[in-house]
Amino acid sequence: MTVLVSTRVRSFLASSARPAVLVALAALPVAVLAVFFVLPVTGMVQRGLFASDSFDPAVAIRVLQRSEIQRALWFTLWSSGLATALSVALGLPAAFALHRLSFPLQRVIRAGLLVPFVLPTVVVGVAFRELIGEAGLLAGLGLDGTPTAIILGLVFFNASVVIRAVGAAWESLDPRPGEAAAALGAGPSRVFWTITLPALRPAIVSAASVVFLFCATAFGIVLTLGGVRYNSIETEIYKLTFTLFDLPGAAVLSVLQLVVVIGLLVVAGRLRSVADPAQSRVVVRRRRVSLRDLPVLLSTSVLVLLVAGPLLALLLGSLRVDDRWSLANYAALQTPGFDPPLPVPVTTALMTSLTVAVQASVVALTLGLLVAFAVTRRSRTRAERRVRSVLDGLFMVPLGVSAVTLGLGLYLTLGSGALDFRDEPWLVPLAQALVALPLVVRTLVPVLASVDDRLRQAAAGLGAGPLRAVMTVDVPAVWKPLLASAGFAFAASLGEFGATSFLVREERPTLPVVILRLLSRPGSDNYGMALAAACVLAATTAVVMLLVERLRVPSIGAL
């Protein structure tokens, strides 16, 4: 009798403690998200749809009726759709080759193809201009300043998303249904369309929706490759803010972009109606390459050339000074540049970028770890499950809101009254942390969700307290993904440009901001310094991604 009462008391205390633990874990991330994400975004809505403290849709209608706005909207839709289709078409064969086949240098190629995902978009734009510009190797194609160049840049940047998201699912896909269909006489094509493709549909839909979001919110690529002829919604927001000082117009476009993004996320969520095979984590042995894999390998080679070509052109361009080989562009990085000089030497901007990236990574890891623990704890009631599900979705929203919108929202909202934080040095790291937070959460949540809850219960039954249970059960499973997510956050923060361009202080610019400033200044010296600085940034990012690849947990992606 005494034992039964004691058990019931422990059960009651445990059921009462779960909501308290959930609140304690989620309180800090929710507060940060509310003040530094929800408040700026709602501030944008207020400026876009409210005039003189009253709702006035006429303001938004007048903005949307402008011909340049409609051109930017149409260009964003068709270029993003085409770039998404090409990214999926090139990414799927590469995902199969890199995750189901076995061949030499596979890990190096896989890490190399993932580098563009975290490269600063400004670097991507500069690399493509160096390849297809007037003095580039492919100048004869006449692609410079065309929509084709922008779309190639978007594919270069986003094919890695498809490889990582679909590859993780393909890697763990149970081969037995396909083998059974083949034994019954189905050819490879029929097996793929009837067995493999339906099983991969959630991962493909998820990757395609994320790629479309990234394409529609691309900023640096369109800005550097589109020039003044082609504008997306992102670059139009930037132009309205800093060139035309039309803040209501920029706010209306940001609101429109937010509505489209939320709608796309809802549609993508409905299309992802079957279970994700990556959750089962079946370990499949990779097979050797055979002759039938030739089309897949050729397609992967095309993607490798698309990724390597611009980066190689960027490296060679940085080593050329007055038609001869030289390291003068790299030596000039220790100076503030040439007429007119930068406020600080480029090396100082690099140190600022590294410092800010470390700070942003610490913030993103702290918040992401708390969110991951909060949403993966076992739920006993329907209300508890709903709360955890809402939290999981809530912290994915920054993934769909462009960095430009976030930066503009912070710039407009946190500039007066009690929330006058616009000149605070911690605002840039915090904004970059919010940009990287969804990557951290999406890396950690699948790992913690895969930990068998019975292990935690067994640890508790043996007398371990909550902290010791976490240290003995969760930490051994999550430490490698935690380091990998730290690498993702660091690389993403290092190249962040959209939000930073609104918030960075003149005397403490980051390296991507300095690169764009050098590009906008006349003279071959400034351009050469921009190429050298872009190479340094790309090399730093590549090293981080190689380390992340070594810490990769099979079948678990970052998206």
Side-chain angles (χ1 to χ4, degrees), residues 386-412:
R386 285 182 177 176
V387 170
R388 296 184 196 278
S389 177
V390 169
L391 280 176
D392 192 19
L394 181 64
F395 285 92
M396 287 300 100
V397 174
L399 186 67
V401 177
S402 80
V404 168
T405 299
L406 176 62
L408 179 58
L410 289 169
Y411 180 82
L412 295 177

Side-chain angles (χ1 to χ4, degrees), residues 373-392:
F373 272 113
V375 303
T376 56
R377 298 297 92 175
R378 186 178 180 184
S379 301
R380 300 291 178 85
T381 66
R382 179 178 296 181
E384 217 176 315
R385 280 194 293 274
R386 285 182 177 176
V387 170
R388 296 184 196 278
S389 177
V390 169
L391 280 176
D392 192 19

